[in-house]
Amino acid sequence: MTKFNVLIPAISWPRIAPRFREFSDATPVLLDREGTLIDLHDNKWEGPLHGAWHNFEISRPALKPFLQSIKIAESLQFMQTAASGLDAPFFADILRRGIILCNSDAQSLSIAEYVVASLLNVLHNFPARKSSQLAKTWQRHPFREVAGLNIVVVGYGNIGSRIVHRLRGFEADITVVRRETEPLNDTVRMATLAELPDLLPRTDVIILACALNDQTRHLLDATKLQSCKDETIIINVARGALIDESALLTALDRNVGHAVLDVFETEPLPQEHPFWSHPNVSVTAHSSNAGSGRERRGDDLFLENLQAYLQNKPLRNLVDVQTLA
């Protein structure tokens, strides 16, 4: 039987090798830090590729050679990516070629925790508490509670659903905005994107966890931002282009209370960008997914899906080509 050759970042290989070797019908092809394809004996690989693992450990110098190797791999049948959002043209090309593509939910738990931590940080103003401590000032710091806040979560995929699950424990009043209209449960309301403008004037917290596409690009534009309730908190962990950044800067000086931004239209965020120094903006470097358990969950997902593919069983997070149409 012909071996199923799988492209794997060399840096990840030692960690998964014991489990991968259980697949008697699969052969690892390693991508080194410079982007060269090699076998387990450091010989240059010249054979076909049938599967690939696209993860966050691929080095910057190796990323372009990796993408090129995938592009010319005529025998490629299956790819597991560590990405959740698939708006990059690379993924659309993969699906157009008829290659089986699975995205990742390994980072969803990390991102959900980031959202909750960021929201609590804004509501409680932890930096002010620390300043009082360092100044040895006995000062009380009142805070807003999550309980009772009207929270809108846009998107209910792997990430949005995890966020909602955690916020429900805080007794928040949650509305989920998504394409499907079927009820989720008795404690979460449903709405569509068309209904979002009607929700904004009474929403305390807007959390963006949806895909970027033609419908959602600049979802929060000047008109919607102007209609937001005073002191609204906006948290974006999806894609920077979901928000009109210029309009957000204007709204931050008018009605929006705070913006927690982990993603931006241009990344890295240019040093001269006003977001860096704005008092009502919290900037992080696209790192909401950098939780301590992400790597282990990503390994598990890749190996589980590889085994499922080899055994012709159902795959987790299988991407429907229609989602990128």
Side-chain angles (χ1 to χ4, degrees), residues 84 105 107-119 146 151-176 184-185 188 205-210 235-238 288-289:
S84 176
D105 59 0
Q107 61 271 61
S108 59
L109 189 153
S110 305
I111 296 174
E113 289 197 11
Y114 169 97
V115 168
V116 173
S118 298
L119 178 58
V146 179
I151 299 179
V152 168
V153 179
V154 184
Y156 196 71
N158 292 321
I159 295 170
S161 59
R162 292 266 192 169
I163 293 170
V164 169
H165 177 73
R166 279 151 181 75
L167 290 176
R168 284 174 62 194
F170 286 88
E171 301 179 33
D173 190 357
I174 302 172
T175 301
V176 169
L184 293 173
N185 52 59
V188 177
V205 183
I206 305 166
I207 300 169
L208 300 178
C210 59
I235 302 176
N236 188 5
V237 290
S288 61
N289 62 4

Side-chain angles (χ1 to χ4, degrees), residues 6 45 88 214 251 277 287:
V6 186
W45 179 263
D214 291 340
S277 57
S287 54

Side-chain angles (χ1 to χ4, degrees), residues 32-62:
D32 69 16
R33 290 191 61 83
E34 286 70 45
T36 303
L37 275 59
I38 57 176
D39 63 20
L40 293 180
H41 304 289
D42 294 331
N43 299 310
K44 187 174 181 180
W45 179 263
E46 302 288 355
L49 296 175
H50 305 110
W53 185 20
H54 169 242
N55 71 20
F56 294 124
E57 292 186 297
I58 298 175
S59 67
R60 186 176 294 273

